[in-house]
Amino acid sequence: MAEVIKNRIEFVILFDVENGNPNGDPDAGNLPRMDPESGYGIVTDVCLKRKIRNYVETVKEDEPGYKIYIKQDVPLNTSDNTAYEYLHTNSAEIKALKKKDPEVDLKIRDFMCREFYDIRTFGAVMTTFVKASLNCGQVRGPVQIGFARSIDPILSQELAITRIAITTQADAENKTTEMGRKNIVPYALYRAEGYISANLARKVTGFSETDLELLWEAIINMFENDHSAARGKMAVRELIVFKHSKELGDCPSYKLFDAVEVKKQEDVEYPRQYSDYIVRIHEDQIPETVEVSRKI
């Protein structure tokens, strides 16, 4: 069995987009998400975790211990049924089983953490279990990722496009093309910050050193198997990791994040590539007990 992580960790992800929409907002006609006051671009944590889940699912292909709980086209009840199979019971008999064994809720929670990588990593709210008289409740995952924000304000462009495949036969008699719209960001560099709690890993989910290495691999490659015409050219450019010397950490996380400076080159007005930025880590601001590594 892999060893559970023992050190608190923080990390910074830098990724960019070129001529694409990194995260459309369905409430705004699928325009790239943006802070309306400042104009900075936003990519949600849900979007980033989806990429990580997709990578793990692609690499592991439902290998035991690496299944994905939040999965497209798979109802949560379907995944929950694996827990009933583990207990050799069903939703109709679970109340009687709970009377015999008051530890059933805890056993199912631990089973779900062992079986599903994303529960072990990000946690989950297993409400379908509550409806079935179980009470696994909310599993707090040790890995948390905040919203990504662009380093500079973004300019969202709406482009007109045409296609020659007409939708209906009636329309085809009157026209040869149809119009459409496409929203892109010409270029933007985004920064996301994340946290990994060794305390929650030990007490709740059992997130291990092996799981951690898979997480780094998934973050570095999260756009490599997820290309689409809508998202343009996206890539993770930096993964900076801060490893504390103990479970509860050596200093506040904001001090480590503040030590990573990302800014435009002085002669660049409109950045259009990653080399238009400078990334500096001010190591004099980081305690000696915190280990810094750049995974890319």
Side-chain angles (χ1 to χ4, degrees):
M1 185 175 179
E3 185 179 17
V4 174
I5 62 169
K6 291 183 170 62
N7 307 81
R8 199 185 93 191
I9 295 171
E10 275 88 44
F11 57 93
V12 175
I13 309 168
L14 297 178
F15 63 91
D16 59 3
V17 58
E18 182 180 329
N19 294 327
N21 184 350
N23 187 201
D25 185 350
D27 288 330
N30 208 43
L31 289 169
R33 293 185 190 273
M34 185 188 301
D35 179 342
E37 291 185 332
S38 66
Y40 285 94
I42 292 171
V43 173
T44 66
D45 62 318
V46 174
C47 175
L48 297 177
K49 287 190 284 189
R50 178 76 270 150
K51 312 297 183 196
I52 294 170
R53 285 184 171 101
N54 287 348
Y55 179 83
V56 172
E57 183 181 3
T58 299
V59 170
K60 293 298 184 179
E61 296 186 341
D62 282 339
E63 181 182 318
Y66 293 95
K67 294 179 180 178
I68 297 299
Y69 185 65
I70 307 297
K71 194 172 180 178
Q72 186 176 2
D73 300 326
V74 179
L76 295 179
N77 282 340
T78 302
S79 299
D80 295 342
N81 284 336
T82 61
Y84 292 126
E85 293 169 6
Y86 168 70
L87 292 173
H88 304 291
T89 187
N90 54 55
S91 58
E93 299 173 354
I94 196 67
K95 287 185 179 180
L97 182 61
K98 286 187 69 173
K99 291 179 180 178
K100 296 178 183 178
D101 185 358
E103 297 294 320
V104 166
D105 290 335
L106 186 59
K107 287 179 180 178
I108 288 208
R109 186 201 72 180
D110 291 345
F111 169 79
M112 297 298 282
C113 288
R114 289 195 306 271
E115 193 72 6
F116 294 92
Y117 178 82
D118 55 338
I119 296 179
R120 195 163 63 248
T121 304
F122 302 124
V125 179
M126 289 179 273
T127 54
T128 56
F129 278 138
V130 175
K131 293 177 182 178
S133 301
L134 290 172
N135 188 23
C136 290
Q138 179 176 343
V139 175
R140 287 183 60 198
V143 180
Q144 300 300 328
I145 302 175
F147 279 25
R149 196 186 79 159
S150 62
I151 303 300
D152 291 297
I154 65 171
L155 175 65
S156 176
Q157 295 183 1
E158 186 177 44
L159 307 177
I161 57 175
T162 61
R163 60 183 171 92
I164 60 173
I166 309 305
T167 304
T168 67
Q169 183 65 40
D171 288 342
E173 296 174 359
N174 301 313
K175 57 184 179 181
T176 58
T177 61
E178 287 189 338
M179 301 296 293
R181 314 295 295 180
K182 188 170 186 176
N183 301 301
I184 67 163
V185 176
Y187 183 83
L189 178 63
Y190 288 80
R191 171 176 174 155
E193 296 168 350
Y195 314 80
I196 304 179
S197 168
N199 185 258
L200 282 175
R202 174 176 60 85
K203 289 182 176 180
V204 183
T205 72
F207 185 79
S208 69
E209 292 288 347
T210 303
D211 294 330
L212 181 63
E213 289 307 311
L214 179 57
L215 176 68
W216 298 147
E217 180 185 330
I219 290 173
I220 291 169
N221 295 287
M222 64 181 171
F223 299 117
E224 298 306 316
N225 296 291
D226 191 60
H227 294 294
S228 77
R231 282 187 286 276
K233 180 181 175 183
M234 295 189 69
V236 174
R237 296 291 189 162
E238 284 270 6
L239 175 56
I240 302 167
V241 176
F242 301 98
K243 183 179 180 180
H244 296 254
S245 66
K246 50 192 176 183
E247 183 180 281
L248 296 180
D250 301 298
C251 69
S253 56
Y254 75 85
K255 289 190 175 183
L256 303 177
F257 294 144
D258 287 350
V260 179
E261 180 187 15
V262 185
K263 65 178 183 179
K264 287 187 299 188
Q265 301 270 12
E266 290 184 1
D267 59 342
V268 173
E269 184 174 4
Y270 302 110
R272 287 295 183 269
Q273 56 191 353
Y274 183 64
S275 59
D276 289 338
Y277 285 93
I278 300 173
V279 180
R280 291 195 181 99
I281 301 176
H282 298 281
E283 296 194 7
D284 58 316
Q285 301 177 21
I286 301 171
E288 292 182 359
T289 53
V290 176
E291 178 186 330
V292 184
S293 60
R294 299 173 87 155
K295 299 292 185 182
I296 300 181

